[in-house]
Amino acid sequence: MSKLKRLLLLGFIALLIVPLAACQSSTAAYNPKQKLGPQINYTITGIDAGAGIMGGAQSALSAYHLQKDNWQLQTSSTAAMTSTLDKAIKYKQPIVITGWQPHWMFTKYPIKFLKDPKHVFGKAENIHTITRVGLKKDNPAVYKFLTQFHWNATQMSQIMLKVNAGEAPSKAAKAYIQAHPAQVKQWLSGVKAGHGKAVKFTYVAWDSEIASTNLVKQLLESKGYKVTIQPMEAETMWASIATNAADASVSAWLPTTSGRYAKQYKGQFVDVRANLHGAKTGLAVPKYMKNINSISDLVNK
Ligand code: PBE
């Protein structure tokens, strides 16, 4: 074979193999015998840049020395991340995501949190109710209700899963109220009727907050209040409470996730109470990645 022919043949083979190999690496199942990093291009699949969990993931990159291995955090959105996760699970592919609870991803997919021995994502996280400074004086009845409103992740999931399945949040919230009369009675105990008085809630359109904010709206409307709920970015949500543009929010993840906003607006909001205990943020992987159990495993395995 002439040199030229051999070169052409080699070129031809390369043309065939390269796309095949590329194709394979994008659909290959997780291989525990190989290093994880190269299997996913050292990429953690994240969500929107404004989310507190993204700050946590960025801190994890340095705290666990992941940067020297070229690990990076990819910004996207909750919807894009969960759809990437959906595909990975389907083909048993490796993936590392920013995960949190309460969220339906932990119900729908077999995933696990990675241990965080350095507590980069904090030790205990709760979802708090916050109000503008003057609300207690201006609207004591709504304030009283907010001091009484709290539930747990299992209860929240009853609304969240229905909304994820396509039901309107207001309808899912109404159904919850119907199904839990004793709890509703406690929440509204001693709360005076609103007679059309306006109340404005702001929230971030995370699935958990869509559930809680819609529930609170329905509860207060059943007492005769005129409730508006407005979704916005996390920082704007905090600013709306701090500047009295909104009355209250049930979507403050503290002390870690939204800690920077709580610090920024210190003294300009009232931290009423935790309305849900045991929230959690971190990095998560599918359970079939059996040898990856801690964030430090991302470097070592
Ligand atoms: N989250 C959901 C938010 C709080 C609620 C984890 C995406 C965040 O990271 O800011």
Side-chain angles (χ1 to χ4, degrees):
M1 222 186 284
S2 77
K3 240 187 186 167
L4 182 66
K5 266 193 186 158
R6 215 181 300 162
L7 217 67
L8 277 174
L9 189 66
L10 272 178
F12 182 65
I13 291 172
L15 272 179
L16 270 180
I17 288 177
V18 168
L20 259 181
C23 202
Q24 232 174 28
S25 78
S26 66
T27 54
Y30 176 57
N31 183 348
K33 292 195 188 97
Q34 275 171 17
K35 237 185 144 210
L36 171 63
Q39 296 184 59
I40 52 173
N41 292 321
Y42 297 93
T43 300
I44 295 167
T45 306
I47 57 168
D48 45 293
I53 198 172
M54 292 294 276
Q58 205 62 54
S59 307
L61 286 184
S62 44
Y64 291 88
H65 308 294
L66 293 165
Q67 271 144 343
K68 69 168 168 20
D69 235 7
N70 291 323
W71 279 88
Q72 49 177 342
L73 178 63
Q74 192 175 57
T75 306
S76 65
S77 65
T78 304
M81 181 196 80
T82 47
S83 111
T84 309
L85 175 66
D86 189 277
K87 275 182 219 132
I89 298 269
K90 200 159 150 196
Y91 299 108
K92 294 238 170 347
Q93 291 163 353
I95 186 168
V96 180
I97 59 161
T98 52
W100 65 93
Q101 237 171 0
H103 191 275
W104 49 262
M105 67 178 114
F106 277 89
T107 320
K108 198 162 168 181
Y109 302 113
I111 55 174
K112 61 183 178 186
F113 275 113
L114 294 181
K115 289 198 188 79
D116 175 20
K118 292 183 200 274
H119 301 296
V120 171
F121 289 95
K123 281 189 176 162
E125 191 74 0
N126 301 311
I127 307 180
H128 288 232
T129 299
I130 58 172
T131 69
R132 67 179 170 86
V133 171
L135 185 76
K136 186 178 182 180
K137 197 166 144 270
D138 302 343
N139 201 338
V142 164
Y143 190 86
K144 180 178 172 61
F145 161 73
L146 293 175
T147 64
Q148 293 172 174
F149 174 73
H150 68 103
W151 57 345
N152 62 41
T154 315
Q155 292 161 344
M156 176 187 267
S157 289
Q158 294 174 28
I159 297 182
M160 206 163 32
L161 287 169
K162 280 188 188 169
V163 174
N164 177 240
E167 196 167 303
S170 57
K171 195 175 164 207
K174 277 182 195 151
Y176 187 94
I177 289 173
Q178 288 276 312
H180 299 81
Q183 192 180 31
V184 167
K185 205 173 154 196
Q186 272 183 5
W187 285 338
L188 293 173
S189 161
V191 175
K192 293 210 178 86
H195 304 293
K197 193 165 181 170
V199 193
K200 184 170 171 185
F201 284 82
T202 48
Y203 67 110
V204 188
W206 295 311
D207 302 75
S208 42
E209 278 57 46
I210 291 174
S212 54
T213 309
N214 275 277
L215 177 59
V216 161
K217 175 179 158 79
Q218 295 300 326
L219 285 165
L220 286 174
E221 285 186 349
S222 78
K223 280 301 228 181
Y225 290 87
K226 192 172 168 288
V227 184
T228 50
I229 62 173
Q230 200 180 347
M232 42 184 71
E233 296 288 320
E235 178 154 22
T236 326
M237 188 273 276
W238 280 86
S240 72
I241 304 293
T243 59
N244 295 331
D247 291 311
S249 174
V250 288
S251 55
W253 284 51
L254 293 169
T256 307
T257 312
S258 296
R260 62 177 156 140
Y261 300 126
K263 217 168 144 189
Q264 186 179 340
Y265 294 113
K266 199 170 183 237
Q268 293 175 268
F269 69 96
V270 178
D271 185 358
V272 178
R273 68 166 298 157
N275 63 59
L276 187 147
H277 285 275
K280 190 171 162 65
T281 66
L283 299 183
V285 301
K287 285 182 179 162
Y288 52 75
M289 292 169 72
K290 286 205 176 75
N291 61 337
I292 308 292
N293 292 300
S294 164
I295 301 177
S296 44
D297 290 342
L298 299 184
V299 201
N300 305 327
K301 296 197 172 143

